């Protein structure tokens, strides 16, 4: 397994301590420098060892450097007051690392030694409702996290916890019986748009008509009892919604396994019975609750989490508790990641607390809520249509594709409509995804087609164009990059080469950090900086037409950059193009 540069330097410093002082200390504190003028890495152990060894930090730093055997990794270390040891990587070491990356199908990134069974719960639209902009972040953030964890070697189950149960079905079935009965017995009788309109009408009738409300309640009872006609109607409604959801997932190239709320129905009574057996349930106004630690109401009293309503019905909390129990016991998950909006943070904190107090979560299992902020319009408010409705996700994606296609029609009239559509889909969808993923997910962000589709700045088109530049070199020089052999080939001496090489070797660290912190913007920032450094390299140094050895080395750097960009963008769910 490849050893990271940080770990290698820590090993060498530990050996130097044994040689200089006859003893080892805590793991050497080696960290990348924040300012390149101080080199690439820095060790400040000498400051902490001053008290232990009763000598000045500068004297200790000099002893460490004298004992340090590091010539194959770094140039001569520099000591800076009051005792910092600054390290600059040796170009020959950089060449060695890049050679290993270039010769590896995985760019030198090993799979984790202890893979976990991970569940990523994301997207989760509601049946009989169209996916809207609120589902965008969950879907693409969840997909990105799943891709990275899969690449690392974890066994990932991608779950779509759709809202496919509850009062809304009794309401909708009752309304359809009155207005459109064939929709309850005939597949594809309704499009999802019609279903949404009917749902709104059903909700209005439910709120205003007591008789309708009672009929809807009885329809839910029928559905829960498995009455054949009610079950068939429910299945048809779910299927109609599912078909429309799949069109969006196909466009986004997102794979999910549907396991909706209904899946956990058989386990809800068990959840309540077990909580009661454990003595956690308290009756409050007829409802069964668990009173929470650390959560209080306005009066400062403990807040209850209701797990069974006074009428005997269950709720989201009950379903989520059943899901945790099932995912740990049946799925054997070791890490369960929920990707939802920030507004659900308290809900998950409460559900996690109850699950832990019930003893359902072993110490080996992590429950993680990955929250995200709102998508806002350019006015800084929640993104909505001019009429005030929530923006439909399909329309938002179609608009991004249409804008790119319009630009391509003007710039590339000689290209076929099929080519323009292919490029428009890749750039438009990639731009929407990247604009979201490049933000700190816990923050709100402003949705702007103009900014996300720009060829300059931290955008998907800018990164995709850097990849296209490399493919252009291949075509211009009639070069097959797959035939390049890096053995004793990569030579790094020019400043632009060294800068690019140092950034390329940090790719594995960017992936490792994302897998641990679950923050996609860290990978986006890495890829943006890589594109910048490659463009500087490309603009400042000739590649084709140089001496054979120099040309081959620089072609390897180009190819390695393209492969890192391709893999990095793939992990973000973005497809690269050979031409733009």
């Amino acid at each position: 397994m490849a050893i990271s540069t940080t770990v290698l330097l820590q090993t060498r410093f530990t050996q130097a301590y044994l040689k200089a002082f006859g003893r080892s200390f805590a793991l050497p504190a080696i960290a990348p420098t924040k300012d390149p003028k101080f080199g690439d890495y820095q060790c400040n152990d000498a400051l902490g060892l001053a008290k232990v060894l009763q000598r000045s930090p500068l004297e200790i730093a000099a002893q460490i450097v004298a004992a340090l055997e590091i010539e194959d990794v770094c140039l001569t270390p520099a000591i800076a007051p009051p005792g910092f040891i600054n390290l600059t990587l040796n170009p020959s070491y950089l060449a060695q690392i890049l050679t290993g990356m270039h010769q590896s199908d995985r760019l030198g990134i090993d799979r984790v030694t202890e893979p976990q069974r991970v569940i990523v719960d994301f997207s989760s639209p509601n049946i009989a409702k169209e996916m809207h902009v609120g589902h965008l972040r969950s879907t693409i953030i969840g997909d990105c996290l799943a891709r990275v964890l899969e690449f690392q070697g974890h066994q990932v189950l991608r779950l779509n916890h759709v809202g496919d149960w509850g009062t809304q079905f009794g309401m909708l079935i009752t309304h359809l019986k009155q207005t459109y009965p064939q929709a309850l017995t005939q597949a594809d009788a309704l499009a999802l748009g019609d279903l949404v309109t009917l749902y709104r009408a059903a909700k209005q009738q439910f709120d205003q008509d007591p008789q309708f409300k009672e009929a809807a309640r009885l329809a839910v009872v029928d559905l829960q009892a498995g009455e054949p006609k009610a079950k068939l109607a429910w299945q048809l409604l779910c299927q109609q919604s599912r078909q429309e959801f799949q069109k969006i997932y196909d466009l986004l190239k997102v794979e999910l396994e549907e396991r909706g709320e209904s899946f956990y129905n058989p386990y809800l009574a068990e959840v309540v019975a077990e909580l009661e057996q454990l003595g956690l349930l308290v009756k409050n106004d007829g409802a069964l609750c668990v009173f929470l630690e650390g959560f209080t109401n306005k009066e400062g009293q403990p807040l209850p989490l209701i797990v069974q309503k006074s009428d005997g019905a269950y709720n989201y909390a009950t379903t989520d508790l059943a899901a945790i129990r099932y995912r740990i016991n049946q799925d054997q998950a070791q890490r369960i990641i929920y990707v939802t909006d920030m507004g659900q943070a308290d809900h998950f904190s409460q559900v996690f607390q109850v699950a832990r107090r019930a003893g359902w979560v072993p110490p080996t299992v992590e429950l993680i809520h990955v929250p995200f902020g709102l998508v806002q319009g350019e006015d800084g408010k929640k993104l909505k249509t001019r009429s005030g409705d929530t923006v439909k996700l399909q329309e938002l994606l179609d608009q991004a594709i249409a804008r790119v296609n319009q630009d391509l029609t003007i710039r590339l009239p000689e290209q076929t409509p099929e080519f323009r559509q292919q490029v428009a889909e890749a750039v438009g969808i990639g731009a929407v995804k990247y604009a979201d993923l490049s933000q700190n997910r816990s923050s709100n962000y402003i949705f702007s087609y103009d900014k996300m589709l720009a060829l300059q700045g931290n955008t998907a088109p800018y990164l995709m164009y850097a990849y296209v530049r490399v493919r252009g070199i291949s075509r211009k020089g009639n070069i097959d990059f797959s035939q390049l052999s890096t053995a004793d080939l990569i030579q790094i001496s020019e400043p632009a080469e060294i800068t690019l090489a140092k950034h390329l070797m940090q790719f594995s660290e960017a992936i490792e950090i994302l897998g641990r912190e679950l923050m996609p913007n860290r990978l986006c920032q890495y890829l943006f900086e890589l594109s910048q450094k490659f463009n500087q390299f490309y603009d400042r140094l000739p590649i084709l037409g140089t001496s054979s050895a120099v040309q081959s080395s620089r072609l390897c750097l180009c190819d390695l950059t393209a492969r890192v960009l391709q893999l990095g963008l793939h992990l973000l769910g973005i497809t690269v193009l050979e031409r733009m």
Side-chain angles (χ1 to χ4, degrees), residues 431-559:
V432 170
K433 286 185 176 185
Y434 189 85
D436 190 307
L437 294 170
S438 60
Q439 308 296 318
N440 183 318
R441 60 169 166 75
S442 58
S443 304
N444 300 337
Y445 82 94
I446 292 175
F447 189 95
S448 165
Y449 286 115
D450 290 340
K451 287 182 181 177
M452 67 177 58
L453 293 171
L455 275 170
Q456 294 297 321
N458 191 8
T459 66
Y462 179 74
L463 271 63
M464 295 169 83
Y465 187 67
Y467 178 86
V468 167
R469 264 188 150 178
V470 178
R471 308 320 300 168
I473 294 169
S474 172
R475 289 189 294 271
K476 184 178 178 181
N478 195 26
I479 293 157
D480 182 353
F481 281 115
S482 66
Q483 298 303 309
L484 289 173
S485 171
T486 48
D488 301 320
L489 187 61
I490 296 181
Q491 304 168 8
I492 300 169
S493 58
E494 294 290 335
E497 292 174 322
I498 292 172
T499 299
L500 177 60
K502 286 177 180 177
H503 198 73
L504 284 167
M505 66 175 283
Q506 293 167 9
F507 183 49
S508 61
E509 185 181 358
I511 299 297
E512 191 273 329
I513 290 172
L514 174 49
R516 185 177 69 248
E517 298 182 354
L518 307 179
M519 300 289 284
N521 63 302
R522 298 289 294 271
L523 177 58
C524 293
Q525 187 62 31
Y526 169 84
L527 294 173
F528 174 54
E529 290 175 8
L530 174 62
S531 298
Q532 288 180 311
K533 289 172 171 57
F534 171 73
N535 285 330
Q536 290 165 3
F537 160 83
Y538 181 91
D539 292 338
R540 293 174 186 175
L541 298 174
I543 297 168
L544 300 176
T546 54
S547 69
S548 177
V550 172
Q551 175 174 297
S552 297
S553 176
R554 289 177 183 169
L555 286 171
C556 281
L557 287 175
C558 291
D559 184 39

Side-chain angles (χ1 to χ4, degrees), residues 166-178 202 205-206 209-223 227 230:
T167 306
Q168 72 266 30
F169 284 96
M171 190 174 73
L172 189 54
I173 289 170
T174 303
H175 182 74
L176 288 172
K177 276 181 182 177
Q178 298 174 358
Q205 196 173 358
F206 182 86
D209 185 345
Q211 286 185 321
F212 179 88
K213 190 172 188 176
E214 177 61 16
R217 187 188 69 78
L218 293 173
V220 174
V221 173
D222 286 343
L223 180 58
E227 193 275 319

Side-chain angles (χ1 to χ4, degrees), residues 405 408 412 414-426 577-580:
N405 211 332
L408 291 172
L412 303 173
E414 73 282 1
Q415 293 292 347
T416 65
E418 291 76 18
F419 172 83
R420 291 198 296 266
Q421 181 63 22
Q422 178 193 0
V423 173
E425 282 193 14
L577 294 164
E578 299 298 302
R579 298 171 186 261
M580 278 176 68

Side-chain angles (χ1 to χ4, degrees), residues 45 80 148 161 191 196 213 276 338 367 442:
D45 280 0
V148 170
H161 189 84
V196 171
K213 190 172 188 176
E276 190 159 28
Y338 297 80
L367 301 178
S442 58

Side-chain angles (χ1 to χ4, degrees), residues 219-290:
V220 174
V221 173
D222 286 343
L223 180 58
Q224 290 175 337
E227 193 275 319
K229 287 184 179 178
K231 191 172 181 182
L232 174 63
W234 170 72
Q235 288 171 337
L236 290 173
L237 294 173
C238 289
Q239 185 58 34
Q240 287 163 353
S241 293
R242 196 175 288 125
Q243 289 170 353
E244 295 303 312
F245 296 160
Q246 195 57 48
K247 291 177 184 176
I248 291 177
Y249 293 138
D250 289 344
L251 189 59
L252 292 172
K253 293 183 170 58
V254 169
E255 294 181 2
L256 280 154
E257 180 175 322
E258 185 180 308
R259 195 190 282 176
E261 293 172 10
S262 62
F263 179 88
Y264 301 101
N265 282 342
Y267 310 103
L268 301 182
E270 292 176 17
V271 165
V272 175
E274 196 165 332
L275 291 173
E276 190 159 28
Q277 191 177 11
L278 291 165
L280 292 173
L281 286 187
V282 176
K283 208 161 199 176
N284 187 48
D285 291 334
L288 294 176
C289 312
V290 178

